[in-house]
Amino acid sequence: MAASPRRRSRRIAVAAAVAAAALTLGLTTGCDAVSKALDCVQTAEAVADSVTDLQQAVENASNDPTQIDEALASIDQNLDEIGDKTDNADVNKAVDHLNTAVSNVRTAVKNGDETPDLSPITDAAGELTKVCTP
């Protein structure tokens, strides 16, 4: 199955950001900083993909309500990875915001909300992508 135009566009943008980060950071800092920046960008891309999956899961909740839990768990796992790889205060703040948003959606779903508001998650994911991109 081919990637959707939205996902393909995001991947192209992330790839460009990775290339820019590698070039910029490679010229101004050591290899360790470049590695951390690339880890951040790659994990932010994974989070963005998980958020897209969550949006689709909410749209298809009547067919398979477990997809929402799976998508939220995927976001949690990606956030754990990025939290373990960085000591950047801005990244950690964005991760905290995203964790809070995920927790709020999980609570809403648990309380029976079949169409929870995902805008705090998408906003926080955008914040994470922004702080991971130089």
Side-chain angles (χ1 to χ4, degrees), residues 39-123:
D39 285 343
C40 185
V41 170
Q42 290 168 345
T43 306
E45 179 187 32
V47 168
D49 287 344
S50 295
V51 170
T52 300
D53 292 344
L54 175 62
Q55 290 169 328
Q56 291 173 350
V58 167
E59 289 173 12
N60 298 323
S62 61
N63 297 333
D64 185 2
T66 63
Q67 286 183 354
I68 294 174
D69 287 333
E70 291 170 8
L72 291 170
S74 177
I75 294 171
D76 283 337
Q77 181 181 4
N78 290 322
L79 292 177
D80 287 345
E81 287 178 25
I82 199 169
D84 292 342
K85 292 180 181 177
T86 186
D87 57 357
N88 181 295
D90 291 333
V91 172
N92 286 328
K93 183 178 175 182
V95 167
D96 289 345
H97 287 163
L98 195 45
N99 274 325
T100 299
V102 167
S103 178
N104 290 342
V105 167
R106 186 173 276 119
T107 299
V109 169
K110 186 185 239 184
N111 291 336
D113 188 349
E114 294 179 9
T115 56
D117 180 13
L118 301 181
S119 60
I121 289 179
T122 57
D123 292 346

Side-chain angles (χ1 to χ4, degrees), residues 28-41:
T28 59
T29 62
C31 292
D32 191 44
V34 172
S35 177
K36 285 184 179 183
L38 291 175
D39 285 343
C40 185
V41 170

